[in-house]
Amino acid sequence: ENVCLGYPVSIFFIVVNEFCERFSYYGMKAVLVLYFKYFIGWDNDLSTTIYHTFVALCYLTPILGAIIADSWLGKFKTIVYLSIVYTIGQVIMAISAIHDITDTNRDGTPDNMTFHTAMSMLGLILIALGTGGIKPCVAAFGGDQFEEHQEKQRSTFFSIFYLSINAGSLLSTLITPILRAQECGIYSKQSCFPLAFGVPAALMVVALIVFIAGHNMYIMESPKGNILLQVMKCIGFAIRNRFNHRSKQHPKREHWMDWAEEKYDKLLIAQVKMVLKVLFLYIPLPMFWALFDQQGSRWTLQATTMDGNFGAFIIQPDQMQIVNPILIVIMVPIMDSAVYPLIKKCGLNFTPLRRMTVGMLLASLAFVAAALLQIQIDRTVPNFPSSSQTQVKFLNLENTPVPVVVEGQEPFVVPGFNVSSHNGTSNSIKQFLKELLFYTDLISDVSFPRASFTIENEEGQTCHYILQLGFGSSYTVLIPNTFTFGESNIKAIQDINPNDIHMAWQVIQYFLMTCGEVVFSVTGLDFSYSQAPSNMKSVLQAGWLLTVAVGNIIVLIVAEAGSLPEQWAEYVLFACLLVAVSIIFAVMAYFYTYMDPAEIEAKFMELEPDDKKRKELEMMTKDNLAYVNNETSNNTDVKQTKI
């Protein structure tokens, strides 16, 4: 046997594969919304909409992956095939971010943005199919590698497995924004999105190779049928059967799922009832995820309007997301070992459903904090023209003020720059500019604290000019007509002040959101598993992932259809919606009765094997009562067979 330290050697391939895959996914996702805004050129609302559409798709496809693995290909082939799709998607994303591909005039701007948009959308669709499809398979495939006597090792494996997920997320969220902040390009230097997407693509290639390399050591179980499909068929049959027997002559049954007794055994029906009882509680949960997943969209965009200079280092806006996994690592043991025991000692009955309610309220508080921070940011950010307005900027290149009259506006005076005592004219400046060739580094407004310009004339003389920048600042650089090489009398005029609000203020909202996540998400999964039948935990996992998808759909609806004029108002709207939903959830939780699935299942284990057949006989007899006199059981059997 291939065993190392009591563990199957095959699981090491699986853990490495999971680390690389999570690095690939979270690394690409960390810079995605900034790619939409700064490379594709979309506004904040459209960038947010497409981002959450992608995340929603990533959480819808796991259901498809589970069905394919359990009913058709098996886990190993499903992981391999969808990982190939996943890898292709990541490579396409990296290619779509290369601006030089369509920059035929070499001005630093792609000439065919439709190509880049189409490529990125294709890449995201393939990534969503890949990451979602393998999501339910990898952990279960790892569990399959252990024998029955290795329960302890299996438990340790899952701890290591989820540690690899967090490690991949943490490192990628730290590294890929740094890669994006670099400059790269053939003809012109731009923020290096190709590198930020290319490294995750390379990690996905490594993940695929590592996983395939261990295939000779894997224990591969053949597909046994998907329990989710069985549950859906059972529910569908119960609904159809109830509809077909809706007349008053058929007596009502205790539960609508009891109408499936003619085809399915009582044990399965009882298990489905338990699952439906928990799934009913899931209905309000998407609102939590609607707020939670905005860390990668709205909160990242908010960080672009803030100061990320921490003195010794500079934090990129997309790096602020790393606060969440760091706080999770800190908060989970604190909550389990200190907070919950303390609450218990105080005599408070802090049930799982009450914890989830508190988690939802903490998330709403996080958005209140985000709204308050946004109000402070808006006070420092200039008023930019809306989509229905136009902005005109007047530059007076003379030394003396010039009065300007614009129709429909109050007259105003444009002051002169006063860069020299020479009384030149604007025509002489224009003529001078024609004699110069400019080479400028295109600096992203979220990357570097300074810009470097090089001026070169036809004779090869050069002048280097360095301009210190602040986050969010804007400058107009004037080259006077008295400019001479060797003497730098270039003047920079500040049009927009640097961001005054420091990025560290976002830690407050991240802290509240992470506390909410720990109390809500960890408790929710634990509660769901404790209330689910042993063979239907995957069904609840699918339901849980579905709530995440629906939550992201809520965000894109609000972002696209809401169109609130102020961002802080949207934060307040989401906070109020979650508070309202948490109240509804608290009422639902109050009336919920906790179950012991093992005890309920035990009651149905002793049913007679012909119980289902007897029930079917009774139902068919009632169906034929209006037409056939039930004289003998043999005649009834014949009628049933024909029907």
Side-chain angles (χ1 to χ4, degrees), residues 278-322:
V278 177
L279 289 179
F280 178 71
L281 282 177
Y282 281 4
I283 294 175
L285 303 190
M287 201 65 228
F288 173 86
W289 299 114
L291 277 69
F292 177 82
D293 278 331
Q294 289 189 59
Q295 293 176 90
S297 57
R298 290 299 198 198
W299 287 12
T300 299
L301 293 172
Q302 183 187 60
T304 63
T305 61
M306 303 177 74
D307 181 11
N309 190 350
F310 282 76
F313 54 90
I314 292 176
I315 292 290
Q316 302 299 323
D318 33 1
Q319 280 183 312
M320 280 302 293
Q321 300 172 56
I322 201 174

Side-chain angles (χ1 to χ4, degrees), residues 181 183 309 314 316 440-453 465-473 475:
E183 290 188 314
N309 190 350
I314 292 176
Q316 302 299 323
T440 61
D441 292 334
L442 297 179
I443 305 299
S444 169
D445 58 343
V446 293
S447 297
F448 295 108
R450 67 180 186 175
S452 176
F453 300 88
Y465 179 71
I466 296 176
L467 178 62
Q468 295 294 328
L469 302 174
F471 277 75
S473 59
Y475 295 85

Side-chain angles (χ1 to χ4, degrees), residues 34-102:
L34 296 187
Y35 168 76
F36 290 151
K37 181 175 182 179
Y38 294 112
F39 186 91
I40 302 295
W42 291 337
D43 61 15
N44 287 0
D45 287 341
L46 185 56
S47 299
T48 300
T49 298
I50 302 301
Y51 174 88
H52 287 284
T53 302
F54 166 70
V55 176
L57 193 58
C58 288
Y59 283 94
L60 285 173
T61 49
I63 298 174
L64 178 64
I67 293 173
I68 292 174
D70 293 341
S71 305
W72 182 27
L73 292 177
K75 297 184 185 72
F76 176 77
K77 288 184 178 179
T78 301
I79 294 171
V80 171
Y81 294 159
L82 291 181
S83 292
I84 293 172
V85 173
Y86 192 170
T87 305
I88 293 172
Q90 289 281 30
V91 171
I92 290 175
M93 276 300 297
I95 294 173
S96 74
I98 302 175
H99 65 276
D100 291 314
I101 292 178
T102 61

Side-chain angles (χ1 to χ4, degrees), residues 98-113 115-116 186-188:
I98 302 175
H99 65 276
D100 291 314
I101 292 178
T102 61
D103 186 13
T104 54
N105 58 2
R106 304 184 181 183
D107 63 349
T109 303
D111 299 322
N112 186 1
M113 192 57 74
F115 168 81
H116 294 277
I186 301 173
Y187 308 125
S188 61

Side-chain angles (χ1 to χ4, degrees), residues 6 29 65 130 145 151 183 255 262 290 355 391 423 434 448 525 531 587 633:
K29 184 183 169 189
Q145 306 308 307
E151 286 293 334
E183 290 188 314
H255 192 281
E262 285 72 42
R355 293 181 191 177
Q391 185 181 47
N423 188 19
K434 290 180 181 178
F448 295 108
L525 284 171
Q531 298 295 290
V587 174
S633 60

Side-chain angles (χ1 to χ4, degrees), residues 21-22 24-26 28-29 32 50-66 82 86 90 93 121 123-137 293 541-542 544-550 552-553 556:
E21 189 275 326
R22 289 291 86 187
S24 178
Y25 173 73
Y26 284 107
M28 179 276 304
K29 184 183 169 189
L32 186 59
I50 302 301
Y51 174 88
H52 287 284
T53 302
F54 166 70
V55 176
L57 193 58
C58 288
Y59 283 94
L60 285 173
T61 49
I63 298 174
L64 178 64
L82 291 181
Y86 192 170
Q90 289 281 30
M93 276 300 297
M121 293 303 101
L124 290 177
I125 291 172
L126 295 178
I127 291 170
L129 289 173
T131 187
I134 68 176
K135 192 186 293 287
C137 301
D293 278 331
Q541 179 70 17
W544 185 265
L545 295 175
L546 187 61
T547 65
V548 181
V550 175
N552 282 272
I553 293 172
L556 66 93

